[in-house]
C-alpha cells in the first residue's frame, strides 16, 4: 500500500518523528516535494539528527529512501547530510530520481538579493533558493539532474540561462555577474559525486507496486503553506498536499490509501503571514516556545524562534480536510503539562460575525480568535504508554480537538523519541 504523512498547519508539526516510526514498517520512503528550506528532526539510537534533504527513513538499512521528482535538490546539502548519517554509523540506502531538478548556485543568491530588495515587504524566506528554483522550473529553464550527464548539452543551456541571470544581477540587484565556466565546473564536480545514487525512480516504483511493497510518502511543511490552498502569498513554492505525492513521486493517485495528517497540540509558525491564534504576550509565548518541540520551538534549518499560538481548530480542521486525512496524529501534547488552563481557538471573529470555515487571505488578516478555555492537567505525561492512563483533562483536551477536526486522532505523541507514542 501507499500511505502519506503530511502536515495540517504551517509546518513543524512533528512529521519527522512519525515518518521515522512508520518507516520501520515500510519498504520505501519518498520525499516528494520541497527543498532544504525546512527540516525534520529525528531522535533515535543514532542520536539527534536534523534532516533537510534526506527522507526520514534514512536510518533503516532495509528501506529504500527516494528523492522524488518534485524535490528541489541541493546536491551539496544532500551529500553533506549523507556523510553525516554515515558518520553516525547508519547504512543508508538512497535513490535519487534522474528527473529531479537541482538548486543552482544562483538560486540561493537570487533568494538573498530579492529579500534584500523587498526590505519590509519580504516573505521571510530561509534564503535556500527555493522560490527562484521553482520559478525557473515552471519557466522551463531549470536543470534536471539527467541533463548534467550530457556535458555539451548542459553547458550550452547554462550559457543561455546565464545571459538572463546576469542581466538581472547587474541591472536589478546591482551585483557582479557570475562566471559561466566557474558554475559549470562546480556542477560537474557535484554531478560526479552524486552520480552513484541517481537512477530511474519511476521504473523502480512501478516494480515496487507490482510487488505490493509498502511505500511511505513524506511531505514537507503543511497545508497552510500550500501555494494553492494556503495563506498565499506567505506560502512555500511547492504543493504541500498528500495528493501532490502522486505527481512528485510518480505514482498513480489511486494508490494512496492512507493519509496520516500531523497536527501539534498548540500552534507554531515560521515566517510572515496571518496567524490568528498567535500568543501576543511574549512572556507566555516564550515559555511555551522553550517547553515545546524536542528542544524548544526554533527552526531546524534557520534556528530562528517560531511564532507561538494556541491550538487553532479552524485552521487545523481546514488543513486536515484539504489533505484528505484518513487519520490524525496529535504531537507534543507533553509540552502543555505546565498550564492551569489551555485556551483553544474555536472560531474567528470578523466583520461582526463568528466563522468556523477557514477564509481566504484578505479576510484571514482581519480575523481575531474566539477562544474557549479548557482545564489543564498539571503534570508530566512523558513515559505514559496507554491512552487510558493519561490524565482525564488531557484525554478531554485530545477528544475536544478530535471532535473539532471531525477526523479520528489515532496517535498521540508525548515526547520526541520513537517510543513516546500512544496508539488509540
Amino acid at each position: 500500500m501507499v500511505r502519506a504523512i503530511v502536515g495540517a498547519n504551517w509546518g513543524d508539526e512533528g512529521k519527522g518523528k512519525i515518518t521515522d516510526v512508520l518507516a520501520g514498517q515500510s519498504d520505501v520512503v519518498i520525499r516528494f516535494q520541497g527543498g532544504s528550506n525546512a527540516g525534520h528532526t529525528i531522535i533515535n539510537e543514532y542520536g539527534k539528527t536534523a534532516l533537510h534533504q534526506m527522507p526520514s527513513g534514512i536510518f533503516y538499512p532495509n528501506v529504500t529512501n527516494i528523492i522524488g521528482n518534485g524535490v528541489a535538490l541541493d546536491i551539496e546539502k544532500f551529500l553533506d547530510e549523507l556523510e553525516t548519517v554515515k558518520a553516525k554509523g547508519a547504512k543508508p540506502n538512497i535513490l535519487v530520481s534522474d528527473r529531479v531538478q537541482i538548486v543552482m548556485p544562483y538560486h540561493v543568491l537570487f533568494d538573498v538579493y530579492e529579500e534584500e530588495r523587498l526590505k519590509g515587504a519580504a516573505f521571510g524566506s530561509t534564503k535556500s533558493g527555493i522560490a527562484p528554483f521553482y520559478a525557473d522550473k515552471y519557466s522551463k529553464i531549470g536543470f534536471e539532474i539527467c541533463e548534467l550527464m550530457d556535458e555539451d548539452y548542459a553547458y550550452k543551456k547554462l550559457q543561455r540561462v546565464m545571459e538572463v541571470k546576469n542581466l538581472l544581477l547587474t541591472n536589478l540587484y546591482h551585483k557582479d555577474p557570475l562566471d559561466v565556466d566557474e558554475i559549470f565546473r562546480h556542477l560537474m564536480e557535484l554531478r560526479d559525486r552524486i552520480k552513484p545514487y541517481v537512477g530511474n525512480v519511476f521504473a523502480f516504483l512501478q516494480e515496487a507496486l507490482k510487488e505490493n511493497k509498502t511505500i511511505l510518502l513524506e511531505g514537507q511543511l503543511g497545508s497552510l503553506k500550500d501555494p494553492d490552498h494556503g495563506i498565499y502569498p506567505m506560502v512555500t513554492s511547492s504543493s504541500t498536499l498528500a495528493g501532490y505525492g502522486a505527481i512528485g513521486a510518480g505514482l498513480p493517485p489511486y494508490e494512496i490509501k492512507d493519509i496520516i495528517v500531523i497536527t501539534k497540540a498548540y500552534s507554531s509558525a515560521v515566517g510572515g503571514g496571518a496567524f490568528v491564534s498567535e500568543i501576543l504576550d511574549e512572556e507566555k509565548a516564550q515559555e511555551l516556545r522553550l517547553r515545546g518541540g524536542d528542544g524548544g520551538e526554533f527552526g531546524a534549518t534557520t534556528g530562528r524562534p517560531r511564532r507561538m499560538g494556541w491550538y487553532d481548530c479552524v485552521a487545523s480542521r481546514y488543513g486536515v480536510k484539504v489533505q484528505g486525512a484518513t487519520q490524525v496524529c496529535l504531537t507534543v501534547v507533553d509540552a502543555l503539562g505546565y498550564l492551569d488552563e489551555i485556551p483553544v481557538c474555536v472560531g474567528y471573529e470578523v466583520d461582526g460575525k463568528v466563522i468556523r470555515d477557514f477564509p481566504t487571505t484578505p479576510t484571514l488578516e482581519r480575523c481575531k480568535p474566539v477562544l474557549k478555555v479548557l482545564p489543564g492537567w498539571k503534570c508530566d505525561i512523558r513515559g505514559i504508554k496507554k491512552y487510558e492512563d493519561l490524565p482525564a483533562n488531557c484525554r478531554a483536551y485530545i477528544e475536544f480537538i478530535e471532535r473539532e477536526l471531525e477526523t479520528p486522532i489515532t496517535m498521540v505523541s508525548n515526547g520526541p523519541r520513537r517510543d513516546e507514542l500512544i496508539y488509540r
Side-chain angles (χ1 to χ4, degrees):
M1 68 176 297
V2 181
R3 67 197 331 184
I5 295 178
V6 285
N9 304 109
W10 300 264
D12 307 308
E13 297 99 343
K15 297 183 295 296
K17 170 188 168 174
I18 307 305
T19 307
D20 180 45
V21 170
L22 296 182
Q25 307 164 21
S26 305
D27 301 299
V28 181
V29 177
I30 310 174
R31 267 290 303 276
F32 63 86
Q33 48 83 222
S36 61
N37 53 322
H40 290 165
T41 301
I42 305 294
I43 299 175
N44 54 24
E45 64 270 25
Y46 297 99
K48 180 178 176 180
T49 311
L51 301 174
H52 306 274
Q53 292 277 269
M54 291 289 169
S56 295
I58 199 69
F59 290 103
Y60 293 95
N62 59 310
V63 172
T64 301
N65 291 272
I66 289 178
I67 301 293
N69 306 353
V71 171
L73 179 64
D74 187 314
I75 298 179
E76 281 194 278
K77 290 180 179 177
F78 168 87
L79 293 168
D80 287 346
E81 274 186 32
L82 187 59
E83 290 308 310
T84 297
V85 169
K86 287 180 177 178
K88 293 190 173 195
K91 296 178 180 178
N93 183 8
I94 189 89
L95 178 63
V96 177
S97 173
D98 52 7
R99 293 178 182 271
V100 72
Q101 293 202 17
I102 60 173
V103 176
M104 300 290 279
Y106 49 77
H107 288 148
V108 178
L109 292 177
F110 276 95
D111 206 353
V112 171
Y113 297 155
E114 181 64 6
E115 289 287 280
E116 287 177 358
R117 188 185 73 84
L118 290 171
K119 297 179 181 175
F123 291 101
S125 168
T126 60
K127 302 180 179 65
S128 304
I130 306 304
F133 164 89
Y134 281 107
D136 279 5
K137 179 173 182 174
Y138 294 110
S139 296
K140 298 180 285 291
I141 55 171
F143 283 81
E144 288 188 340
I145 204 165
C146 59
E147 293 179 291
L148 302 186
M149 306 306 170
D150 184 331
E151 293 191 17
D152 184 59
Y153 176 93
Y155 184 74
K156 288 177 180 176
K157 180 175 179 178
L158 184 64
Q159 284 182 309
R160 294 194 302 271
V161 171
M162 289 309 300
E163 287 179 10
V164 177
K165 298 299 179 186
N166 277 332
L167 281 172
L168 287 170
L169 281 170
T170 54
N171 293 298
L172 178 62
Y173 297 114
H174 308 295
K175 306 292 183 181
D176 293 332
L178 297 174
D179 183 81
V180 174
D181 291 334
E182 186 178 328
I183 292 173
F184 186 73
R185 281 193 298 271
H186 182 58
L187 285 177
M188 292 302 102
E189 290 172 7
L190 293 176
R191 177 204 64 182
D192 292 342
R193 291 174 62 198
I194 199 171
K195 193 173 182 179
Y197 306 103
V198 177
N200 187 335
V201 161
F202 180 80
F204 177 89
L205 290 177
Q206 290 299 303
E207 194 62 31
L209 289 172
K210 284 181 186 177
E211 295 173 2
N212 293 316
K213 296 288 181 71
T214 300
I215 298 171
L216 189 61
L217 296 167
E218 176 185 16
Q220 181 207 59
L221 292 167
S223 305
L224 305 180
K225 289 293 185 178
D226 183 79
D228 293 298
H229 298 277
I231 54 170
Y232 190 87
M234 296 299 187
V235 294
T236 193
S237 301
S238 64
S239 176
T240 61
L241 302 188
Y244 186 74
I247 300 165
L251 293 165
Y254 56 77
E255 293 287 355
I256 304 174
K257 307 295 187 188
D258 189 17
I259 299 174
I260 303 163
V261 177
I262 316 299
T263 184
K264 206 152 46 181
Y266 52 89
S267 298
S268 70
V270 173
F275 188 26
V276 177
S277 70
E278 185 166 13
I279 301 170
L280 301 177
D281 183 322
E282 182 50 35
E283 187 176 330
K284 289 181 179 178
Q286 179 68 355
E287 185 167 15
L288 182 54
R289 183 180 295 121
L290 294 175
R291 291 174 181 270
D294 60 328
E297 289 287 355
F298 300 92
T301 298
T302 62
R304 60 185 173 183
R306 294 171 183 147
R307 298 161 67 193
M308 304 303 296
W310 303 118
Y311 192 82
D312 187 332
C313 295
V314 178
S316 299
R317 181 170 53 250
Y318 173 78
V320 164
K321 298 291 186 183
V322 80
Q323 291 284 9
T326 55
Q327 54 180 311
V328 171
C329 175
L330 187 66
T331 62
V332 210
V333 180
D334 51 297
L336 301 177
Y338 73 100
L339 291 162
D340 293 307
E341 295 180 323
I342 308 173
V344 178
C345 178
V346 294
Y348 295 165
E349 184 182 345
V350 60
D351 300 332
K353 300 177 183 176
V354 174
I355 60 174
R356 293 184 78 250
D357 292 326
F358 193 72
T360 55
T361 303
T363 302
L364 187 67
E365 289 176 345
R366 305 198 315 274
C367 289
K368 295 179 181 179
V370 176
L371 299 176
K372 179 180 177 67
V373 178
L374 301 179
W377 46 93
K378 292 297 289 181
C379 67
D380 185 2
I381 62 168
R382 294 275 295 270
I384 293 176
K385 302 293 184 184
K386 296 180 180 179
Y387 183 74
E388 56 267 26
D389 293 338
L390 289 171
N393 284 348
C394 182
R395 296 197 308 272
Y397 183 80
I398 294 164
E399 290 158 22
F400 178 86
I401 289 173
E402 183 177 55
R403 289 191 297 273
E404 288 288 320
L405 296 182
E406 300 169 356
T407 308
I409 294 175
T410 59
M411 290 176 275
V412 176
S413 176
N414 60 336
R417 297 197 311 267
R418 273 181 190 164
D419 60 341
E420 293 175 319
L421 189 62
I422 299 169
Y423 295 91
R424 293 180 71 211

